[in-house]
Amino acid sequence: MSGWVFPGEEYRRATHHRLMAAFTDAVLAEGRIDLTEDGSACALWLHVPADEHGDEDDDGPAQVRRAVDPDNERVELIGRLTAAVHPAGRAHAYLWMIGVTPARQGEGLGTALIESALDRCDREGLPAYLEASSARSRGLYERLGFASTGRTLRLPDGPRCGRCGASRAARSAERHRGRTAPAAHGPGRATGGGAPASALR
């Protein structure tokens, strides 16, 4: 995905971090960031209201483009393509991004962060949504209770992304009794200075 938005390794290294910063600012304003205690893994969750949808007149993607890379139309286009496959009509939590430092990958840290967030969703009766970009990630998300929405993001003039939408309905809080939550930071806080973020859902 990032290789299509920012083609060329040198260009990507010089520009991609600005898009990540824009994502972080948006989540701090309207969502939450969960981190492991040592900061080796993080998950960015955005609260999406029931009436929000991918309107062609939405200026959000254009604003991101202006802030990140004004001459790169793909920055705006990827936002509009993602919005077009996003579910609408019901408030939900959207896993915008999750990352684990390379040295700690394969230890289940990302799964633990997602499970912690899904516990919150279940307690609040809210569904969750994400996009899976590979068969491996789809398998993981299916084990966590997500099911394909049947919508796939396809990049124009680029390889098939295969970035499939997947949703998960809220489950009964009964199944969480006696379960210990993983080391993820609670509502409204992010590690490293405790930056405020509104509680998701």
Side-chain angles (χ1 to χ4, degrees):
M1 179 73 76
S2 62
W4 180 82
V5 178
F6 304 106
E9 184 175 350
E10 184 176 348
Y11 175 41
R12 187 160 57 252
R13 286 181 178 275
T15 314
H16 189 256
H17 68 279
R18 296 203 293 268
L19 182 60
M20 298 301 98
F23 284 171
T24 301
D25 287 345
V27 171
L28 286 173
E30 300 182 28
R32 64 179 290 141
I33 298 176
D34 290 333
L35 288 165
T36 54
E37 292 290 349
D38 63 358
S40 58
C42 70
L44 279 63
W45 290 89
L46 192 66
H47 175 72
V48 180
D51 58 352
E52 184 169 315
H53 55 85
D55 194 320
E56 290 184 0
D57 295 329
D58 180 11
D59 192 45
Q63 291 178 355
V64 172
R65 173 182 175 180
R66 288 193 292 269
V68 172
D69 193 4
D71 294 329
N72 186 350
E73 64 180 12
R74 291 184 175 183
V75 172
E76 178 178 347
L77 182 57
I78 196 64
R80 297 196 182 281
L81 290 172
T82 300
V85 300
H86 202 101
R90 185 176 181 184
H92 60 275
Y94 173 34
L95 178 59
W96 202 343
M97 187 174 302
I98 187 166
V100 180
T101 189
R104 301 294 305 278
Q105 290 178 3
E107 298 181 20
L109 298 178
T111 299
L113 286 178
I114 295 175
E115 287 180 330
S116 179
L118 293 179
D119 285 350
R120 289 196 306 268
C121 291
D122 291 344
R123 289 193 298 270
E124 299 175 18
L126 287 164
Y129 172 80
L130 51 76
E131 288 119 13
S133 58
S134 68
R136 182 174 178 272
S137 64
R138 282 196 296 273
L140 166 63
Y141 299 143
E142 287 172 358
R143 290 193 293 275
L144 292 172
F146 286 88
S148 174
T149 62
R151 296 181 176 184
T152 301
L153 190 160
R154 301 189 184 280
L155 303 175
D157 303 320
R160 283 192 174 186
C161 178
R163 195 173 178 88
C164 301
S167 61
R168 175 187 177 279
R171 298 180 179 180
S172 170
E174 289 291 324
R175 73 185 185 89
H176 302 293
R177 289 184 178 178
R179 177 172 168 177
T180 301
H185 286 260
R189 303 204 68 76
T191 296
S198 57
L200 185 61
R201 299 169 191 163

